[in-house]
Amino acid sequence: MDPVYPAGSGTKAAVRRHPIHPMLVSLPIAFLIGALLSDIAFALLENTFWAEASFWLLAAGLAGGVLAGLSGLIELLGVKRARRLPMAWLHGIINLIVLGLACVNFFLRMDDMLDVLPLGLGLSVVTGALLGVSGWLGGEMTFRHGIGVSEQVGGFAHDESKPRPHVHQG
């Protein structure tokens, strides 16, 4: 954790003090990256299995993404440190864009699951790239800013109403 923060921020959405958001994000990320990979496989192999797999991976990614997004929104609005971080807002906005793109991608295939190329593949590529950026921002918030990390980690809890000490990193 970044030395500016002597402790984690705590969490507002938890099960037995374990943050829910990190538990939920891995599945929609995996499903949406899986949709990208199955789109690529369909483009290369022309086997309909891959187009159908992508359709269902998009559906699962959307369902999981909505749940992960709701828990992330609770954290964003409930944790003071998160609300102050521009990267937290950017993380949320990117994830809304990801869900929007995945939704468009899913509905493009509703009438014909094989209608993947070229638009569906392109949407999957953009979705995958945005997930990479969003994932990096999520990691920065957790590991550098202590968002969602127990207040006992790193020492005594910091009073968020007091200014942070300046730490020189040379």
Side-chain angles (χ1 to χ4, degrees):
M1 194 161 42
D2 197 299
V4 171
Y5 303 104
S9 70
T11 183
K12 295 298 179 189
V15 174
R16 297 182 55 95
R17 297 184 312 165
H18 187 87
I20 295 172
H21 186 66
M23 288 191 286
L24 294 178
V25 296
S26 59
L27 286 175
I29 292 169
F31 291 143
L32 293 174
I33 296 299
L36 168 60
L37 296 175
S38 59
D39 281 350
I40 292 169
F42 178 68
L44 295 174
L45 304 173
E46 298 179 1
N47 182 328
T48 59
F49 167 82
W50 295 110
E52 292 179 34
S54 186
F55 177 81
W56 294 112
L57 286 164
L58 284 167
L62 282 167
V66 167
L67 293 175
L70 289 173
S71 66
L73 182 62
I74 292 168
E75 294 288 6
L76 178 64
L77 298 178
V79 176
K80 191 177 205 178
R81 189 184 300 173
R83 284 193 311 269
R84 291 183 189 162
L85 283 176
M87 84 169 54
W89 293 95
L90 182 58
H91 175 74
I93 290 167
I94 291 172
N95 286 326
L96 284 174
I97 293 168
V98 162
L99 286 175
L101 290 172
C103 193
V104 168
N105 204 351
F106 177 78
F107 282 108
L108 282 174
R109 303 164 193 235
M110 283 292 287
D111 291 332
D112 182 6
M113 285 188 207
L114 303 180
D115 192 16
V116 175
L117 302 173
L119 187 56
L121 176 58
L123 288 169
S124 291
V125 168
V126 173
T127 297
L130 288 173
L131 281 171
V133 172
S134 175
W136 181 82
L137 290 171
E140 285 288 301
M141 287 188 300
T142 300
F143 300 116
R144 292 182 62 83
H145 298 278
I147 304 299
V149 176
S150 172
E151 293 170 306
Q152 286 79 36
V153 172
F156 297 104
H158 177 67
D159 183 354
E160 293 286 337
S161 65
K162 294 181 182 175
R164 296 184 201 135
H166 176 71
V167 176
H168 177 70
Q169 295 176 340

